[in-house]
Amino acid sequence: MLGRQAIAAVVALATAAAGALTPARAAPEPAVIRISAKKFEYTPAKIVLKKGVPVVLELTAIDRIHGFKMPALGIRSDVLPDQTVRVPLTPDKPGTFVFACDVFCGDGHEDMDGTIVVEE
Amino acid sequence: MMKSDLDRRDFLKLAGCGGVVFAAGLASPAYLAAAGRDFHFVQMTDTHWGFAGAPNPEARTTLPRAVAAVNALGRQPEFIMFTGDLTHTTDDPKERRRRMAEFKDIVKELRVKELRFIPGEHDASLDAGEAFKEFFGRTYYTFDHAGIHFIALDNVSDPGAKIGRAQLDWLAADLAQQSKDQPIIVLAHRPLFDLYPDWDWATADGAAALDLLMPYRHVTVFYGHIHQEHHHTTGHIAHHAATSLIFPQPAPGSQPKRTPPVAWNPAAPFKGLGFRDIANGPAPDQPAIREVPLA
Ligand SMILES: [Cu+2]
């Protein structure tokens, strides 16, 4: 049978080990980039990211349903009022990529787009 | 033996007792019967009635001009197919109906009285096709003409550019009635294939429709939406986009974004606008296509 002291020692050891491993195992929280959509624009409409650095896009609509379609980076989502859609993204190639609304929203829908610039 | 007066019932009878003479890939007799009589129809698309802006300062006269040009054709088409964006969109349901009523008044002047319509997103995406149906009837349907089975699809009443499960099931049921040799012409507003997804020149579930059509040997698709002539094949299925009757759009990928459209050129007004004449060609899946420019 283990005495009280022995248990304490085991717990301390485990805690120390976990503490030592934490920095290596868990990545830092990815940066959150909020994008809001309303007729007929996204804010912000230009986003600069670093290649290989993960982020989370948080998409929200203000006035009505819109879409967010960016085939080059494999993203397609509805964007709904009063809801936040979280889209994790780790850009794997540099370049300038267009995203556009793909839920027809009126006279100006075709102008509703933006760009993500991925830097090396 | 393949005489022009051979009808479908005779064909089935003959096929039943000596079908080997009909090699795979041959057209159905109904088509061959029709092929002798110089059949043609006209596709008009993307008239955007109600549009006002710099890309077409002649927006009020373009549709009447197109109607006059079709009326001037020496050989009148047997019918005219409008493939969507009849009107330019508006948030106001009353104004939408006013535009549809005006559009109808203008196209009434066509000498050809057999007119068929499908919606574009400008007509139907903001009210799920409600106003369109009031003025023009169903948004998707089939008809048979001159031995060809026509399938008019609606890929715009859903604002997310989906054909949708119900319509796909309907399409599958319709196709199940057709022989694999039946010449089929599909009409749609948006491209059924991924033409240029960055600009959303696609149909979200277009691939599902093409999968259903793929077993049929003679399928041709005519569509609009991209405001320019474009030809592409997916497998053995040919897709042909026609020029618009309002303003041309840039070639896919030729500029960073899908807007602005091609600027109006005062030195060459109406350039890049026109309609299309489609006649039966040498083979059931090779219709003879003639682009007719307005300028
Ligand atoms: Cu939108």
Side-chain angles (χ1 to χ4, degrees):
Chain A
M1 238 175 117
L2 287 167
R4 187 175 292 259
Q5 248 180 335
I7 290 170
V10 169
V11 168
L13 200 69
T15 308
L21 286 172
T22 298
R25 275 223 178 125
E29 278 291 299
V32 169
I33 293 159
R34 290 192 176 83
I35 303 172
S36 70
K38 71 168 200 288
K39 292 196 289 187
F40 299 100
E41 59 188 16
Y42 298 97
T43 310
K46 185 183 172 188
I47 294 148
V48 180
L49 302 178
K50 281 253 179 286
K51 184 188 155 193
V53 177
V55 295
V56 172
L57 307 180
E58 285 192 356
L59 310 174
T60 317
I62 291 168
D63 49 357
R64 72 186 308 284
I65 181 172
H66 293 280
F68 186 94
K69 179 172 175 171
M70 192 166 52
L73 297 178
I75 297 173
R76 195 292 108 197
S77 178
D78 282 347
V79 186
L80 303 152
D82 305 320
Q83 285 184 43
T84 299
V85 182
R86 290 172 57 89
V87 182
L89 169 66
T90 307
D92 58 356
K93 55 192 170 193
T96 299
F97 306 105
V98 174
F99 56 87
C101 179
D102 66 346
V103 176
F104 188 81
C105 53
D107 191 3
H109 164 75
E110 288 90 352
D111 295 311
M112 188 164 169
D113 53 30
T115 49
I116 289 187
V117 179
V118 180
E119 296 177 337
E120 275 288 2
Chain B
M1 148 166 221
M2 281 250 191
K3 283 174 60 184
S4 62
D5 56 354
L6 193 67
D7 74 8
R8 181 165 188 80
R9 202 171 323 137
D10 288 331
F11 166 71
L12 292 173
K13 246 190 295 187
L14 284 166
C17 54
V20 283
V21 297
F22 296 96
L26 271 183
S28 75
Y31 176 83
L32 293 174
R37 68 167 182 85
D38 251 3
F39 151 73
H40 76 133
F41 70 100
V42 158
Q43 179 192 9
M44 299 174 85
T45 196
D46 295 83
T47 52
H48 285 263
W49 184 252
F51 172 82
N56 187 342
E58 289 290 336
R60 301 286 300 176
T61 67
T62 304
L63 178 57
R65 178 181 283 257
V67 166
V70 173
N71 282 345
L73 290 175
R75 208 160 48 91
Q76 285 292 289
E78 294 190 10
F79 65 89
I80 296 168
M81 184 74 217
F82 287 85
T83 47
D85 285 355
L86 318 174
T87 59
H88 196 71
T89 196
T90 164
D91 285 350
D92 177 357
K94 263 206 207 112
E95 174 63 13
R96 179 185 317 289
R97 284 164 176 80
R98 207 173 64 80
R99 291 178 189 186
M100 287 183 175
E102 285 180 358
F103 170 89
K104 248 183 139 166
D105 265 357
I106 295 164
V107 302
K108 221 169 50 195
E109 299 302 318
L110 284 159
R111 281 164 63 196
V112 175
K113 294 305 170 200
E114 199 174 332
L115 309 179
R116 299 173 192 275
F117 309 89
I118 49 172
E121 73 280 358
H122 279 256
D123 304 304
S125 279
L126 294 186
D127 68 357
E130 195 186 306
F132 178 91
K133 284 185 223 164
E134 285 170 29
F135 282 82
F136 305 103
R138 291 200 58 176
T139 62
Y140 60 92
Y141 50 89
T142 66
F143 59 99
D144 293 280
H145 192 102
I148 298 169
H149 187 59
F150 288 83
I151 304 175
L153 295 179
D154 170 5
N155 50 7
V156 299
S157 287
D158 181 320
K162 287 187 204 75
I163 299 166
R165 194 68 256 163
Q167 190 181 170
L168 286 169
D169 289 346
W170 166 88
L171 174 63
D174 177 75
L175 287 171
Q177 307 295 308
Q178 310 301 323
S179 114
K180 299 289 190 287
D181 284 336
Q182 171 62 48
I184 293 171
I185 288 182
V186 176
L187 305 149
H189 178 66
R190 304 173 64 102
L192 291 175
F193 65 97
D194 278 349
L195 198 169
Y196 198 67
D198 278 3
W199 293 355
D200 196 30
W201 284 0
T203 296
D205 53 1
L210 292 178
D211 283 350
L212 292 172
L213 289 161
M214 208 48 87
Y216 297 82
R217 292 184 190 95
H218 310 298
V219 180
T220 309
V221 183
F222 293 101
Y223 68 102
H225 186 59
I226 65 165
H227 295 208
Q228 62 196 285
E229 192 186 339
H230 191 274
H231 308 278
H232 181 80
T233 53
T234 56
H236 62 283
I237 300 178
H239 305 257
H240 307 283
T243 53
S244 81
L245 287 164
I246 194 65
F247 50 73
Q249 282 178 339
S254 62
Q255 60 186 43
K257 296 178 175 189
R258 55 191 172 181
T259 57
V262 176
W264 178 264
N265 179 357
F270 304 101
K271 189 169 179 251
L273 311 185
F275 58 91
R276 166 181 281 166
D277 187 287
I278 300 155
N280 45 359
D285 47 5
Q286 291 166 22
I289 301 171
R290 187 169 65 96
E291 312 295 340
V292 186
L294 269 203

